[in-house]
Amino acid sequence: MNKIALVTGANRGLGRNTALAIAHQGGDVIVTYRGNARQAEEVVTEIQALGRKAVALQLDTAKIATFPAFTENLHAKLSEIWQRDTFDHLINNAGHGEFSPFAETTEAQFDGLFDVHVKGVFFLVQALLPLLVNGGKIINFSTGLTRISFPGFSAYSAAKAAVETLSVYMARELGPRGITVNTVAPGAIETDFGGGLVRDNADVNAHFAALTALGRAGLPDDIGPMIACLLRDENRWVTAQRIEVSGGQSI
């Protein structure tokens, strides 16, 4: 039986790359998106072209009140497409960055980051636990910026640090069900994150390349395949870990 992974925010960036990497490894994928249905359907089409099953579902991870309806919709799609009541892996990728100096960060920016990256992750996992198989895997996205600092990301990094601690507690409390929980912390990656800061700003890109042992900023293809690998059965004994995927950034 093929494994089914749910990847939040999988219509673009690292979520898209992760979804495609899982499909390349032989898994089926539930793609969630907040607002861009066209992008999500394009990812579904790419996955299906690989011979795997996929479906796109709308989900705004900042809107906790919508989670019960989303869970019901997910359950219906699992039954319709896979003839199952459960899925195997949950990858909490959905999120955004706010590039703002500490002294200028607004309460709205702060709340927006914590609503998505912390509160959203907490309550989405809680809502989906009845549908997640015993022995399943949860991967929460963090950032290399919880270990090193870069001005302008104080609120974002604080939210991700909370996710890292939350993941350890999840691993402890979900361990009796055989569910593993880990965080993956990418370094500087060339995506549209933060307005494409690393991808489009040559000075920032060069700055991080100089800090990295492997001599360049990261690419989405450096992250998605690693997550797909972590989902393999051979990694069943890895839990409560923060795994940095940064090419040796600031070591």
Side-chain angles (χ1 to χ4, degrees):
M1 181 170 61
N2 291 330
K3 297 292 179 69
I4 305 169
L6 190 156
V7 184
T8 66
N11 57 295
R12 62 179 183 83
L14 294 184
R16 174 185 181 277
N17 190 275
T18 297
L20 292 173
I22 291 169
H24 275 287
Q25 187 170 274
D28 296 340
V29 188
I30 298 157
V31 172
T32 85
Y33 65 96
R34 184 181 65 174
N36 198 320
R38 178 188 58 79
Q39 283 184 340
E41 290 298 338
E42 288 173 355
V43 176
V44 167
T45 298
E46 289 186 67
I47 293 170
Q48 291 172 336
L50 296 170
R52 305 267 44 93
K53 294 180 180 180
V55 66
L57 300 178
Q58 195 279 332
L59 173 67
D60 186 340
T61 56
K63 295 183 178 178
I64 312 302
T66 67
F67 290 177
F70 173 79
T71 302
E72 290 183 11
N73 189 22
L74 172 60
H75 186 265
K77 291 299 182 182
L78 287 168
S79 177
E80 173 189 340
I81 298 171
W82 286 276
Q83 293 74 56
R84 286 182 54 180
D85 293 321
T86 58
F87 69 102
D88 303 280
H89 308 309
L90 173 60
I91 297 90
N92 287 303
N93 159 78
H96 66 289
E98 292 282 358
F99 182 68
S100 177
F102 173 81
E104 299 172 17
T105 299
T106 66
E107 184 178 2
Q109 288 175 311
F110 185 96
D111 287 346
L113 288 165
F114 274 75
D115 282 349
V116 171
H117 294 282
V118 184
K119 188 176 179 181
V121 169
F122 189 108
F123 287 103
L124 183 63
V125 172
Q126 190 182 84
L128 296 183
L129 278 178
L131 303 185
L132 185 65
V133 297
N134 291 340
K137 293 181 173 64
I138 297 172
I139 297 177
N140 298 321
F141 266 74
S142 183
T143 175
L145 295 172
T146 61
R147 183 177 61 83
I148 63 171
S149 61
F150 188 80
F153 288 107
S154 57
Y156 172 78
S157 300
K160 288 302 191 183
V163 168
E164 291 181 7
T165 298
L166 175 61
S167 298
V168 172
Y169 276 82
M170 285 183 183
R172 181 64 181 237
E173 296 195 29
L174 301 181
R177 288 184 53 187
I179 295 171
T180 65
V181 186
N182 294 287
T183 55
V184 168
I189 307 292
E190 295 181 8
T191 68
D192 59 3
F193 173 82
L197 183 66
V198 176
R199 182 190 62 196
D200 302 333
N201 187 311
D203 290 338
V204 172
N205 191 291
H207 172 80
F208 280 108
L211 293 176
T212 302
L214 295 181
R216 63 170 174 82
L219 302 171
D221 279 342
D222 296 322
I223 307 301
M226 180 273 165
I227 293 173
C229 179
L230 187 58
L231 295 176
R232 292 168 62 95
D233 289 340
E234 292 86 343
N235 289 311
R236 61 187 176 275
W237 204 238
V238 181
T239 195
Q241 301 304 302
R242 176 192 185 273
I243 304 169
E244 183 167 316
V245 191
S246 67
Q249 185 173 292
S250 296
I251 57 173

